[in-house]
Amino acid sequence: MAERIYIFDTTLRDGEQAPGISLNQREKVEIAEQLARLEVDVIEAGFPVSSPSEFEAVKAVAKAVKGPVICALARTERNDIDWAWEAIMFAERPRIHTFISTSEYHMKYQLKKTPKQVLELARDAVAYARKYVENVEFSAMDATRSDPKFLYQVYAAAVKAGATVINIPDTVGYALPDEFAELVKGVMENVPGIENVLVSVHCHNDLGLAVANSLAAARVGARQIECAVNGLGERAGNASLEEVVMIINTRKDYVDLTTGVNTREIYQTSRLVSMLTGYNVQPNKAIVGDNAFAHESGIHQDGVLKHRVTYEIMHPEDVGLVESEIYLGKHSGRHALKAKLEEMGFYLDDKGLERAFIRFKELAGKKKEITVKDLEAIALDEIRTLEELFQLEYMQSSSGTGAIPIAAVKLSREGKSYEATATGDGQVDAVCKAIAKATKVKAKLVSYQVQAITKGLDAMGDVTIKLDIDGHEVVGRGVSPDIIEASARAYINAINRGIQKGLLEKKKLARKAKAGTRSKVSSRKAGS
Ligand code: KIV
Ligand code: ZN
């Protein structure tokens, strides 16, 4: 019988480490709830010690999400482990994941510790975490560039101290599939007690081999694969969850493995993560890209029409891609919209539903046919913007041949209004400048991208904007049938993320500190 692979999702932790991503508490819970519907085995909700907002978000996930194990990351420091436990203690099935680097490069240049110290820290951290919880995972960071003999010793110490999961990360995406499989086999053959724990792998995609490496490891006995939706993660990302799962599913005949994932939730999960992180999925991405099931050439279309099996190795329905008809129009009411959204898996609260309803009515007035993708875009935009600090209340922009583009905006934040007008090189530029003026946030535009959500000239526009605020990148996204409004929403979304990340507060504090130093200097001068 096919053996079970446990799917450990790290979208909310390693995935969130991708540049520009910063999910707020509500968004993390939303994604975690979707991951539970996807039926992953473990959700790594975050790294609680990294910031108070991260701690609160992990805690909210642990309290709200039922089903999967909820895991929190911690370095091998006791303080990290205390915070991790505080965050996940209310989870139905909590796990602490502690890690330390074991490669010469990391130990010598980053940690500045001897192998003996690293071994002691690993042992102590696992034992300490076990005082809180039975389920403890230990990772040897940069395992693929570590001395295997030392790696065996560290893993042996972790197992002896009570680790229940031993994770082998290819942190820098350096390994090749055969080589990685050899390493995993080596660990399984040389670490005393390893037969009593779950062996896991965590592969990065720097050489495009994360999925291949994960599969190679599973073929020699690893039984947990760490991955992220849409392959998000540090640098080139982590192994892509949808690829790992669908390979195992489609090639059961060859790999003789199985997962517990409900593959029909894959597409919805990918869309949710893409919208909330601001990371678009490339059209030719395996499994979830727009073209993954599109047959373009005549020969292929002919074959598929005659029999699907000619060119289709998976069915689009298997990953949840269904073309459903919707019968909502400008006469539909709130209840019909709510029912349709819930059927699609979106559960908005009263405030979110009210705003979604207003936008739905506006859209119905402009567009002949409302599609599932339109509704999905509105719902996701509401989920994303519900906790926003600045909200767009009103905007107007005008331009014309020979005229200078001008925009006026009115925003609100905590009951106060902020208004401004500005001119620009184009209407998008003018509206962004007006928002920058109204919010008093100085940001540099790094990139601007627009894509149509559906086909046709009346399609909704989906705008992604990347800003640089004080050297930190933030990504914002907005949708609307009006591209200028979608751009305004994306710009405001990015600014709000900057605020949520504390970037602007840090800037203010730094300015105050500088002003303080200056006034001290000048008063000293005045006194002398
Ligand atoms: O890539 C890595 O090594 C990690 C560890 C924390 C598991 O993300
Ligand atoms: Zn990683």
Side-chain angles (χ1 to χ4, degrees), residues 230 240 242-243 266 281-289 292-293 314:
N230 299 338
S240 139
E242 56 280 4
E243 292 176 27
I266 284 180
V281 173
Q282 78 200 52
N284 59 332
K285 164 85 174 63
I287 320 293
V288 289
F293 294 93
M314 300 166 274

Side-chain angles (χ1 to χ4, degrees), residues 172-313:
V172 291
Y174 180 70
L176 302 180
D178 292 348
E179 186 188 22
F180 190 53
E182 275 306 304
L183 178 71
V184 173
K185 249 168 84 184
V187 170
M188 296 184 68
E189 284 163 8
N190 291 287
V191 174
I194 196 89
E195 61 285 2
N196 303 320
V197 304
L198 188 65
V199 175
S200 167
V201 289
H202 173 111
C203 299
H204 279 269
N205 207 29
D206 299 65
L207 293 172
L209 290 169
V211 171
N213 284 341
S214 305
L215 259 295
R219 304 266 298 147
V220 295
R223 287 292 171 263
Q224 175 178 281
I225 295 182
E226 302 197 354
C227 43
V229 176
N230 299 338
L232 291 179
E234 279 276 359
R235 308 178 309 280
N238 285 85
S240 139
L241 179 145
E242 56 280 4
E243 292 176 27
V244 166
V245 169
M246 288 313 287
I247 292 170
I248 294 175
N249 206 293
T250 311
R251 297 307 313 274
K252 260 193 237 81
D253 61 316
Y254 188 76
V255 295
D256 202 20
L257 298 167
T258 182
T259 74
V261 168
N262 175 4
T263 63
R264 286 175 176 264
E265 291 290 338
I266 284 180
Y267 182 71
Q268 170 72 3
T269 314
S270 161
R271 292 281 306 153
L272 179 72
V273 169
S274 166
M275 288 298 265
L276 296 184
T277 56
Y279 266 57
N280 287 329
V281 173
Q282 78 200 52
N284 59 332
K285 164 85 174 63
I287 320 293
V288 289
D290 274 352
N291 299 346
F293 294 93
H295 302 280
E296 190 68 20
S297 88
I299 295 178
H300 286 217
Q301 286 176 352
D302 175 59
V304 171
L305 286 175
K306 285 178 177 147
H307 202 301
R308 289 167 77 158
V309 77
T310 49
Y311 290 96
E312 254 183 34
I313 57 163

